[in-house]
Amino acid sequence: MKRQIGNRTEINSTTDNIAISVRNLYKSFNLPTEQSSGLKQAIFNRLRGVKGYTEQKVLKDINFKIKKGEFVGIIGRNGSGKSTLLKILAGIYYPQKGDIIINGNLIPFIELGVGFNPELTGRENVYLNGALLGFSNEEMDTMYDDIWEFAELKQFQDQKLKNYSSGMQVRLAFSIAIRAHGNILLLDEVLAVGDAAFQQKCNDYFRSLKDQKQTVILVTHSMENVTKFCTRAILIESGKIIQDGDPNKVSAAYTKMLAN
Ligand code: ATP
Ligand code: MG
Protein backbone atom coordinates (compact mmCIF):
# COMPACT_ATOMS: atom_id res chain seq x y z
CA MET A 1 0.00 0.00 0.00
CA LYS A 2 1.41 3.41 -0.93
CA ARG A 3 -0.22 6.76 -0.30
CA GLN A 4 1.32 10.00 -1.49
CA ILE A 5 0.41 13.25 0.30
CA GLY A 6 2.55 16.04 -1.10
CA ASN A 7 6.06 15.08 -0.11
CA ARG A 8 4.86 12.79 2.60
CA THR A 9 4.68 9.09 1.81
CA GLU A 10 3.20 6.39 3.98
CA ILE A 11 4.42 2.86 3.45
CA ASN A 12 4.14 -0.42 5.31
CA SER A 13 7.34 -2.34 4.84
CA THR A 14 8.31 -5.02 7.31
CA THR A 15 11.71 -5.53 5.72
CA ASP A 16 12.81 -1.88 6.00
CA ASN A 17 14.02 -1.12 9.53
CA ILE A 18 13.59 2.65 9.17
CA ALA A 19 10.31 3.91 10.69
CA ILE A 20 10.63 7.59 9.76
CA SER A 21 12.86 9.27 7.24
CA VAL A 22 13.02 13.05 6.85
CA ARG A 23 15.14 14.72 4.19
CA ASN A 24 15.80 18.39 3.42
CA LEU A 25 12.69 19.55 5.22
CA TYR A 26 11.79 23.24 5.11
CA LYS A 27 8.73 24.89 6.62
CA SER A 28 7.82 28.55 6.78
CA PHE A 29 4.68 30.43 7.69
CA ASN A 30 3.52 33.55 5.90
CA LEU A 31 2.55 36.10 8.49
CA PRO A 32 0.36 38.92 7.17
CA THR A 33 1.83 42.36 7.64
CA GLU A 34 -0.39 45.09 9.06
CA GLN A 35 -0.84 46.87 5.74
CA SER A 36 -2.34 43.78 4.12
CA SER A 37 -5.67 43.68 5.93
CA GLY A 38 -8.79 44.18 3.83
CA LEU A 39 -9.58 43.27 0.27
CA LYS A 40 -8.95 46.78 -1.06
CA GLN A 41 -5.51 46.85 0.49
CA ALA A 42 -4.77 43.35 -0.82
CA ILE A 43 -5.61 44.41 -4.39
CA PHE A 44 -3.63 47.62 -3.97
CA ASN A 45 -0.66 45.69 -2.65
CA ARG A 46 -0.81 43.25 -5.53
CA LEU A 47 -0.93 46.04 -8.11
CA ARG A 48 2.08 47.67 -6.51
CA GLY A 49 3.91 44.39 -6.17
CA VAL A 50 3.88 44.54 -2.37
CA LYS A 51 3.80 41.10 -0.77
CA GLY A 52 1.59 41.92 2.23
CA TYR A 53 3.19 39.22 4.33
CA THR A 54 6.49 38.29 5.84
CA GLU A 55 7.87 34.80 5.63
CA GLN A 56 8.84 33.23 8.92
CA LYS A 57 11.20 30.31 8.40
CA VAL A 58 10.45 27.78 11.12
CA LEU A 59 12.25 24.60 9.97
CA LYS A 60 15.43 24.89 7.94
CA ASP A 61 16.85 21.78 6.30
CA ILE A 62 15.87 19.11 8.80
CA ASN A 63 17.32 15.65 8.17
CA PHE A 64 17.05 12.47 10.23
CA LYS A 65 16.16 8.81 10.11
CA ILE A 66 14.48 7.00 12.97
CA LYS A 67 14.83 3.25 13.23
CA LYS A 68 12.00 1.01 14.32
CA GLY A 69 12.01 0.66 18.10
CA GLU A 70 13.82 3.93 18.81
CA PHE A 71 12.37 6.22 21.50
CA VAL A 72 13.38 9.69 20.41
CA GLY A 73 13.06 12.82 22.50
CA ILE A 74 12.81 16.12 20.66
CA ILE A 75 13.91 19.05 22.76
CA GLY A 76 14.52 22.76 22.34
CA ARG A 77 13.40 26.18 23.46
CA ASN A 78 9.85 27.53 23.08
CA GLY A 79 9.22 28.36 19.45
CA SER A 80 12.19 26.36 18.13
CA GLY A 81 9.96 24.31 15.80
CA LYS A 82 9.32 21.04 17.67
CA SER A 83 5.51 20.97 17.42
CA THR A 84 5.66 22.16 13.81
CA LEU A 85 7.93 19.21 13.01
CA LEU A 86 5.56 16.76 14.69
CA LYS A 87 2.56 18.22 12.89
CA ILE A 88 4.34 17.80 9.57
CA LEU A 89 5.16 14.18 10.41
CA ALA A 90 1.49 13.65 11.29
CA GLY A 91 0.37 15.23 8.01
CA ILE A 92 -1.39 18.14 9.77
CA TYR A 93 0.96 20.75 8.21
CA TYR A 94 2.57 20.59 4.82
CA PRO A 95 6.20 21.52 4.30
CA GLN A 96 7.39 23.80 1.49
CA LYS A 97 10.20 21.39 0.69
CA GLY A 98 11.39 17.99 1.79
CA ASP A 99 10.68 14.30 1.71
CA ILE A 100 9.07 12.37 4.50
CA ILE A 101 8.58 8.64 4.55
CA ILE A 102 6.47 7.11 7.30
CA ASN A 103 6.88 3.34 7.47
CA GLY A 104 4.12 2.00 9.71
CA ASN A 105 0.88 2.94 11.32
CA LEU A 106 1.23 6.32 12.96
CA ILE A 107 -0.75 7.54 15.96
CA PRO A 108 -0.45 11.23 16.76
CA PHE A 109 -1.06 12.42 20.32
CA ILE A 110 -0.71 16.01 19.28
CA GLU A 111 -3.93 17.88 19.56
CA LEU A 112 -5.59 15.65 22.09
CA GLY A 113 -9.34 15.91 22.26
CA VAL A 114 -9.62 17.73 18.94
CA GLY A 115 -12.95 16.05 18.24
CA PHE A 116 -14.36 16.79 21.69
CA ASN A 117 -17.65 18.65 21.90
CA PRO A 118 -18.01 20.71 25.12
CA GLU A 119 -21.81 20.55 25.00
CA LEU A 120 -21.86 16.73 25.08
CA THR A 121 -21.33 14.55 28.13
CA GLY A 122 -18.12 12.68 28.83
CA ARG A 123 -19.84 9.47 27.80
CA GLU A 124 -20.97 10.89 24.44
CA ASN A 125 -17.54 12.33 23.81
CA VAL A 126 -15.87 8.98 24.43
CA TYR A 127 -17.98 7.42 21.67
CA LEU A 128 -17.49 10.42 19.39
CA ASN A 129 -13.72 10.46 19.86
CA GLY A 130 -13.55 6.69 19.46
CA ALA A 131 -15.39 6.94 16.15
CA LEU A 132 -12.85 9.54 14.98
CA LEU A 133 -10.10 7.06 15.82
CA GLY A 134 -11.87 4.47 13.68
CA PHE A 135 -13.50 2.34 16.39
CA SER A 136 -16.98 0.91 16.05
CA ASN A 137 -19.65 1.35 18.74
CA GLU A 138 -19.21 -2.29 19.78
CA GLU A 139 -15.47 -1.83 20.15
CA MET A 140 -16.08 1.29 22.24
CA ASP A 141 -18.54 -0.65 24.44
CA THR A 142 -15.82 -3.16 25.32
CA MET A 143 -13.21 -0.46 26.00
CA TYR A 144 -15.54 1.96 27.76
CA ASP A 145 -14.85 0.98 31.38
CA ASP A 146 -11.09 0.75 30.86
CA ILE A 147 -11.07 4.25 29.39
CA TRP A 148 -12.73 5.74 32.48
CA GLU A 149 -10.68 3.65 34.83
CA PHE A 150 -7.41 4.84 33.31
CA ALA A 151 -8.61 8.46 33.33
CA GLU A 152 -9.97 8.04 36.90
CA LEU A 153 -12.93 10.22 36.03
CA LYS A 154 -15.82 7.77 36.07
CA GLN A 155 -17.90 9.88 38.44
CA PHE A 156 -17.92 12.65 35.81
CA GLN A 157 -18.98 10.50 32.86
CA ASP A 158 -22.48 12.00 32.64
CA GLN A 159 -21.41 15.61 33.06
CA LYS A 160 -20.97 17.90 30.10
CA LEU A 161 -17.38 18.17 28.97
CA LYS A 162 -17.40 21.95 29.34
CA ASN A 163 -17.50 21.41 33.11
CA TYR A 164 -14.26 19.41 33.06
CA SER A 165 -10.99 21.14 33.86
CA SER A 166 -8.44 21.27 31.04
CA GLY A 167 -6.32 18.63 32.79
CA MET A 168 -9.37 16.34 33.10
CA GLN A 169 -10.12 16.74 29.39
CA VAL A 170 -6.58 15.78 28.45
CA ARG A 171 -6.70 12.77 30.78
CA LEU A 172 -9.84 11.55 29.07
CA ALA A 173 -8.50 12.23 25.57
CA PHE A 174 -5.22 10.50 26.42
CA SER A 175 -7.03 7.51 27.84
CA ILE A 176 -9.02 7.15 24.61
CA ALA A 177 -6.05 7.76 22.33
CA ILE A 178 -3.91 4.99 23.86
CA ARG A 179 -6.48 2.44 22.65
CA ALA A 180 -5.59 3.16 19.03
CA HIS A 181 -3.47 0.54 17.34
CA GLY A 182 -0.25 1.69 15.80
CA ASN A 183 3.47 1.19 15.88
CA ILE A 184 4.71 4.77 15.55
CA LEU A 185 3.60 7.19 18.23
CA LEU A 186 4.01 10.94 18.13
CA LEU A 187 3.55 12.60 21.50
CA ASP A 188 3.64 16.34 22.03
CA GLU A 189 3.93 17.25 25.71
CA VAL A 190 0.90 15.23 26.70
CA LEU A 191 2.30 14.84 30.17
CA ALA A 192 2.63 18.51 30.92
CA VAL A 193 -0.96 19.09 32.04
CA GLY A 194 -1.48 16.01 34.16
CA ASP A 195 -1.03 15.97 37.93
CA ALA A 196 1.68 13.84 39.55
CA ALA A 197 -0.55 10.75 39.85
CA PHE A 198 -1.53 10.87 36.20
CA GLN A 199 2.06 11.50 35.15
CA GLN A 200 3.01 8.33 36.99
CA LYS A 201 0.41 6.45 34.96
CA CYS A 202 1.73 7.93 31.75
CA ASN A 203 5.25 6.97 32.82
CA ASP A 204 4.11 3.37 33.17
CA TYR A 205 2.54 3.60 29.74
CA PHE A 206 5.77 4.98 28.22
CA ARG A 207 7.77 2.27 29.93
CA SER A 208 5.50 -0.37 28.35
CA LEU A 209 5.95 1.26 24.92
CA LYS A 210 9.69 1.12 25.40
CA ASP A 211 9.54 -2.52 26.49
CA GLN A 212 7.41 -3.38 23.45
CA LYS A 213 10.01 -1.67 21.23
CA GLN A 214 7.45 0.67 19.72
CA THR A 215 8.76 3.64 17.79
CA VAL A 216 8.07 6.81 19.76
CA ILE A 217 8.81 10.47 19.19
CA LEU A 218 8.29 12.49 22.32
CA VAL A 219 8.42 16.28 22.33
CA THR A 220 9.11 17.40 25.86
CA HIS A 221 10.64 20.01 28.12
CA SER A 222 11.30 17.39 30.79
CA MET A 223 14.95 16.34 30.68
CA GLU A 224 14.06 13.76 33.30
CA ASN A 225 11.77 12.02 30.82
CA VAL A 226 14.38 12.32 28.09
CA THR A 227 17.01 10.53 30.15
CA LYS A 228 14.49 8.06 31.60
CA PHE A 229 12.76 6.87 28.43
CA CYS A 230 14.59 7.99 25.34
CA THR A 231 17.18 5.99 23.48
CA ARG A 232 18.10 9.08 21.47
CA ALA A 233 17.52 12.82 21.65
CA ILE A 234 17.39 15.52 19.02
CA LEU A 235 17.99 19.15 19.96
CA ILE A 236 16.40 21.78 17.74
CA GLU A 237 17.45 25.41 17.89
CA SER A 238 15.89 28.04 15.62
CA GLY A 239 14.54 25.42 13.24
CA LYS A 240 17.80 23.47 12.88
CA ILE A 241 19.01 20.24 14.42
CA ILE A 242 22.08 21.17 16.42
CA GLN A 243 22.57 17.87 18.26
CA ASP A 244 21.38 14.33 17.67
CA GLY A 245 22.44 11.33 19.71
CA ASP A 246 22.85 10.08 23.26
CA PRO A 247 19.98 11.43 25.44
CA ASN A 248 22.26 12.16 28.40
CA LYS A 249 24.69 14.17 26.31
CA VAL A 250 22.07 16.00 24.28
CA SER A 251 19.94 16.93 27.29
CA ALA A 252 23.04 18.12 29.15
CA ALA A 253 23.99 20.27 26.17
CA TYR A 254 20.49 21.76 26.13
CA THR A 255 20.55 22.51 29.86
CA LYS A 256 23.93 24.17 29.44
CA MET A 257 22.62 26.16 26.48
CA LEU A 258 19.70 27.45 28.54
CA ALA A 259 22.00 28.53 31.35
CA ASN A 260 24.07 30.73 29.02
P1 ATP B 1 7.02 25.17 22.43
O1 ATP B 1 8.16 24.59 23.21
O2 ATP B 1 6.64 26.51 22.96
O3 ATP B 1 5.85 24.25 22.29
P2 ATP B 1 7.76 24.62 19.67
O4 ATP B 1 9.20 24.28 19.53
O5 ATP B 1 6.78 23.52 19.67
O6 ATP B 1 7.60 25.53 20.97
P3 ATP B 1 6.38 25.57 17.34
O7 ATP B 1 5.00 25.49 17.87
O8 ATP B 1 6.82 24.53 16.38
O9 ATP B 1 7.43 25.67 18.52
O10 ATP B 1 6.54 27.00 16.67
C1 ATP B 1 7.71 27.38 15.95
C2 ATP B 1 7.48 28.75 15.33
O11 ATP B 1 6.49 28.62 14.32
C3 ATP B 1 6.98 29.80 16.29
O12 ATP B 1 7.62 31.01 16.01
C4 ATP B 1 5.51 29.90 16.00
O13 ATP B 1 5.04 31.20 16.20
C5 ATP B 1 5.45 29.55 14.53
N1 ATP B 1 4.17 28.89 14.16
C6 ATP B 1 3.75 27.67 14.55
N2 ATP B 1 2.57 27.36 14.01
C7 ATP B 1 2.21 28.43 13.28
C8 ATP B 1 1.07 28.76 12.46
N3 ATP B 1 0.08 27.89 12.30
N4 ATP B 1 1.05 29.95 11.83
C9 ATP B 1 2.08 30.82 11.98
N5 ATP B 1 3.16 30.59 12.72
C10 ATP B 1 3.24 29.43 13.36
MG1 MG C 1 5.25 22.92 21.00
Side-chain angles (χ1 to χ4, degrees), residues 59-77:
L59 295 175
K60 306 160 194 163
D61 197 15
I62 298 286
N63 292 276
F64 59 85
K65 278 189 166 89
I66 292 175
K67 290 199 202 92
K68 287 178 183 170
E70 276 191 302
F71 202 127
V72 182
I74 300 201
I75 58 177
R77 297 176 210 258

Side-chain angles (χ1 to χ4, degrees), residues 37-173:
S37 60
L39 181 64
K40 213 161 117 187
Q41 191 64 47
I43 296 168
F44 190 66
N45 281 344
R46 178 159 284 219
L47 290 174
R48 298 181 73 201
V50 176
K51 269 187 181 165
Y53 61 84
T54 50
E55 188 189 9
Q56 191 199 2
K57 295 190 170 85
V58 174
L59 295 175
K60 306 160 194 163
D61 197 15
I62 298 286
N63 292 276
F64 59 85
K65 278 189 166 89
I66 292 175
K67 290 199 202 92
K68 287 178 183 170
E70 276 191 302
F71 202 127
V72 182
I74 300 201
I75 58 177
R77 297 176 210 258
N78 293 134
S80 54
K82 306 178 297 295
S83 297
T84 303
L85 176 61
L86 240 59
K87 285 180 183 167
I88 292 173
L89 294 180
I92 298 170
Y93 286 166
Y94 294 95
Q96 270 76 19
K97 264 199 269 179
D99 296 302
I100 296 157
I101 298 170
I102 306 286
N103 180 16
N105 188 8
L106 187 135
I107 306 178
F109 291 69
I110 294 178
E111 287 166 330
L112 282 177
V114 147
F116 275 171
N117 182 338
E119 292 301 328
L120 298 178
T121 64
R123 181 191 298 275
E124 290 163 330
N125 271 293
V126 166
Y127 280 87
L128 180 70
N129 217 244
L132 291 174
L133 288 172
F135 290 115
S136 68
N137 261 355
E138 291 70 36
E139 284 173 309
M140 290 312 291
D141 287 341
T142 55
M143 292 186 283
Y144 187 82
D145 286 335
D146 290 344
I147 288 171
W148 288 99
E149 200 175 306
F150 187 89
E152 291 175 32
L153 295 169
K154 193 146 193 173
Q155 66 272 37
F156 300 100
Q157 62 184 330
D158 293 312
Q159 283 198 27
K160 284 190 177 174
L161 203 81
K162 66 179 178 192
N163 299 327
Y164 287 36
S165 73
S166 51
M168 285 160 70
Q169 293 194 24
V170 171
R171 279 169 91 121
L172 184 59

